[in-house]
Amino acid sequence: EPEVTQTPSHQVTQMGQEVILRCVPISNHLYFYWYRQILGQKVEFLVSFYNNEISEKSEIFDDQFSVERPDGSNFTLKIRSTKLEDSAMYFCASSEIRVDNTEAFFGQGTRLTVV
Amino acid sequence: AQSVAQPEDQVNVAEGNPLTVKCTYSVSGNPYLFWYVQYPNRGLQFLLKYITGDNLVKGSYGFEAEFNKSQTSFHLKKPSALVSDSALYFCAVRDILGGNNDMRFGAGTRLTVKP
């Protein structure tokens, strides 16, 4: 069964450093997302991406964040200058855009720890 | 913008008893509703969805959910709970026809099933 894969599974970084979280969505999916979850709490929407541009973004997704699809398979989330409060589990997801098949499939997540 | 509310942070049931995890939603267009489950240290797993048609939808692991348009609810149910059902459950909504394709999650409900 196809799945969304995320690397690394755990990233530790110093405050102020840049991090790049990587995702490989399911190959025939066209919509990509990043969500984050702080300490097993609410899953918060960050951004959606379609047709090589941001489709929607939340108020959390400020200028410190960026997304990119550098090639035909990867989808990355970059945090330019990490803050302590960026520590969270980051989930990538992808979906088709057919109306009758709309659920998003999630990766296992990357646990980001900012120290 | 679409949103969901899960009014209970925690639900406790005894094994073998029926369980209900509540969810209400708010959308400007047509709701596409989802339930996801998260086991400890894991990503989000899709359980079931309502797109259109029968108000009662059946999903994985014996779960079902009932769409109620008048009450704007989509409660998750299972006739007989198992200890292994203990996990974090998230309700989510998409409003594709309203022009906003991203999926918004509720705060989550922690289900604990006791032997």
Side-chain angles (χ1 to χ4, degrees), chain A:
Chain A
E1 186 175 328
E3 58 181 14
V4 176
T5 57
Q6 291 185 242
T7 54
S9 57
H10 192 186
Q11 172 97 42
V12 181
T13 188
Q14 287 195 327
M15 191 169 55
Q17 295 297 304
E18 174 183 287
V19 294
I20 297 176
L21 309 183
R22 302 180 190 280
C23 169
V24 179
I26 294 173
S27 61
N28 64 334
H29 286 185
L30 299 177
Y31 247 103
F32 314 118
Y33 312 84
W34 282 101
Y35 290 82
R36 78 174 185 188
Q37 184 183 34
I38 298 175
L39 284 178
Q41 296 178 21
K42 182 175 183 176
V43 176
E44 301 174 301
F45 169 75
L46 292 178
V47 66
S48 62
F49 191 86
Y50 170 69
N51 200 25
N52 284 321
E53 60 183 19
I54 290 174
S55 177
E56 302 282 343
K57 61 181 181 179
S58 72
E59 59 277 4
I60 301 170
F61 194 87
D62 61 22
D63 292 344
Q64 294 296 319
F65 292 88
S66 63
V67 290
E68 193 177 28
R69 188 153 165 82
D71 53 42
S73 61
N74 290 285
F75 178 54
T76 61
L77 174 69
K78 181 192 290 185
I79 308 175
R80 284 192 188 81
S81 179
T82 50
K83 304 185 284 288
L84 294 176
E85 53 266 37
D86 293 328
S87 295
M89 181 74 88
Y90 288 80
F91 291 106
C92 175
S94 68
S95 69
E96 297 182 78
I97 57 168
R98 284 163 37 201
V99 168
D100 61 344
N101 191 11
T102 60
E103 65 265 31
F105 293 83
F106 285 77
Q108 294 292 82
T110 294
R111 182 175 298 282
L112 176 65
T113 304
V114 182
V115 297

Side-chain angles (χ1 to χ4, degrees), chain A residues 31 33 35 37 102-104, chain B residues 32 36 38 49 94 101 103:
Chain A
Y31 247 103
Y33 312 84
Y35 290 82
Q37 184 183 34
T102 60
E103 65 265 31
Chain B
Y32 290 10
Y36 284 81
Q38 185 180 35
K49 66 182 175 184
R94 294 173 88 172
N101 199 23
M103 184 177 293

